[in-house]
Amino acid sequence: MSENLPRVETVVDDLYSLPPADFVSHRAAYVTRFKKAGDKVGATRIGALRKPTVVARLVNTLARRDESALAELFDLGEQLERAQQRGDGPRLRELSTARSTSIRALTDRAVSLGRDLGVTVGDNAAREVSNTLNAAMADAEIRDRVRKGRTVVAETYSGFGPALLSIVPDSPDDDDAAEDDPVSPEVEDDRHKTDEAERNRLLAELESAESDLDTARTEVDEAQADTERKASELHSAAEEVERIEAELEAAGAREQAAREAHEASVVQAESTAAALDAARIRVAEARSALDSLT
């Protein structure tokens, strides 16, 4: 390689710490740099990275600024899972309340961080942050992306697990309480949010498609610029060839003129030599005639 390149993991972290508006241009610059250095594998991996949405940036910023708070949330998720496996109703209700409180606090923190960065955060974006944190508690892959600060779109969780624990099993002694409160407010809220979650998913897909479109546009612009650069180089080379050909033609004409001048000079020299010989003969004849008179 012609230069010391950063590790691809370092590049990924750098890109996902940027505002989404700067992501595509910086990604293209890294791809170009890796290609010039001969690291095609790294360039391909970086080029495949998707532009994060605004909500994803809020989550990524939260992961970088409040790593310990996220760790506590994910630990709470593990406790919820163990309580669910044991069928421990009272403990599940306690942990569910703690989960809601933690997610609400972290969402508020993400919104505050976003505003500090100049990001306008509406109610819908705040809900998507909450959904993403909720999903991260239940899905290991989502949790890993969130923890590393590499979230790309708002996430939702449609499976079963701690993230959706709203109603918990009651012990036989809890039957009367269950009759008084058959459905928790959280369950009712989840029901009302079903359509909203689907809408959020579609919005995330739209943002992802727009990100891919941005990438394609950047690649087209780079290809067009490269084409124009090559066309300019070709034009310059053609002009250079024409200049050299003109100089060669002029040099040929000068050579022909010099050859003709040389030939004329040879003829002139031969004529002069003949005239000299004739003059010598006449001088000799004149002397001979003069001598005969004396």
Side-chain angles (χ1 to χ4, degrees):
M1 295 186 183
S2 60
E3 63 170 305
N4 290 325
L5 294 174
R7 294 174 59 249
V8 173
E9 292 298 317
T10 301
V11 173
V12 175
D13 287 336
D14 177 48
L15 289 175
Y16 283 111
S17 68
L18 296 171
D22 297 335
F23 182 89
V24 173
S25 61
H26 282 71
R27 179 184 59 192
Y30 273 123
V31 169
T32 299
R33 182 177 173 186
F34 272 67
K35 284 182 178 179
K36 287 183 177 179
D39 188 350
K40 295 183 179 179
V41 174
T44 299
R45 181 179 172 190
I46 294 170
L49 297 174
R50 295 167 59 191
K51 174 183 173 182
T53 64
V54 172
V55 169
R57 187 196 181 193
L58 296 177
V59 175
N60 291 339
T61 302
L62 178 67
R64 289 179 170 82
R65 302 285 182 86
D66 285 324
E67 182 178 350
S68 60
L70 273 181
E72 291 177 3
L73 177 67
F74 297 149
D75 179 67
L76 184 60
E78 294 175 358
Q79 294 180 53
L80 270 165
E81 185 175 4
R82 289 193 295 269
Q84 183 187 36
Q85 291 170 350
R86 294 194 306 268
D88 188 344
R91 180 59 173 162
L92 279 171
R93 282 190 290 275
E94 175 187 348
L95 292 172
S96 293
T97 299
R99 175 200 61 184
S100 298
T101 301
S102 179
I103 288 180
R104 191 158 48 244
L106 285 172
T107 298
D108 290 343
R109 174 61 173 156
V111 170
S112 176
L113 289 171
R115 288 172 179 162
D116 290 343
L117 295 171
V119 178
T120 301
V121 184
D123 292 341
N124 186 59
R127 281 195 297 272
E128 290 184 338
V129 170
S130 296
N131 290 341
T132 299
L133 295 175
N134 211 34
M137 294 182 69
D139 188 297
E141 291 185 3
I142 297 175
R143 182 164 57 250
D144 186 57
R145 287 194 294 272
V146 170
R147 181 182 287 115
K148 290 180 178 178
R150 299 179 181 180
T151 302
V152 178
V153 297
E155 303 277 7
T156 57
Y157 181 71
S158 57
F160 299 94
L164 296 183
L165 279 176
S166 301
I167 189 167
V168 297
D170 293 317
S171 64
D173 295 335
D174 293 333
D175 287 343
D176 292 339
E179 290 176 0
D180 293 337
D181 185 17
V183 179
S184 71
E186 197 169 339
V187 169
E188 189 67 25
D189 186 54
D190 284 344
R191 290 174 179 172
H192 289 304
K193 289 181 178 178
T194 300
D195 291 340
E196 183 68 20
E198 177 63 14
R199 178 176 177 274
N200 291 341
R201 184 185 68 79
L202 294 174
L203 285 172
E205 290 182 359
L206 174 61
E207 291 188 7
S208 176
E210 290 176 341
S211 174
D212 291 341
L213 178 60
D214 287 342
T215 299
R217 285 173 174 166
T218 299
E219 292 174 349
V220 168
D221 289 343
E222 290 177 348
Q224 182 63 32
D226 186 62
T227 299
E228 292 176 355
R229 185 169 56 254
K230 292 297 190 297
S232 177
E233 292 174 356
L234 176 61
H235 180 69
S236 296
E239 290 183 340
E240 181 69 9
V241 168
E242 291 179 358
R243 183 185 63 79
I244 292 174
E245 288 178 342
E247 291 180 354
L248 182 61
E249 184 177 353
R254 289 195 299 272
E255 179 190 21
Q256 180 63 28
R259 181 179 293 109
E260 292 175 354
H262 176 263
E263 292 175 352
S265 177
V266 169
V267 171
Q268 180 64 31
E270 291 176 348
S271 176
T272 302
L276 179 61
D277 289 342
R280 286 174 177 170
I281 292 172
R282 288 197 301 272
V283 168
E285 290 177 347
R287 284 178 177 173
S288 177
L290 181 60
D291 289 343
S292 65
L293 291 176
T294 60

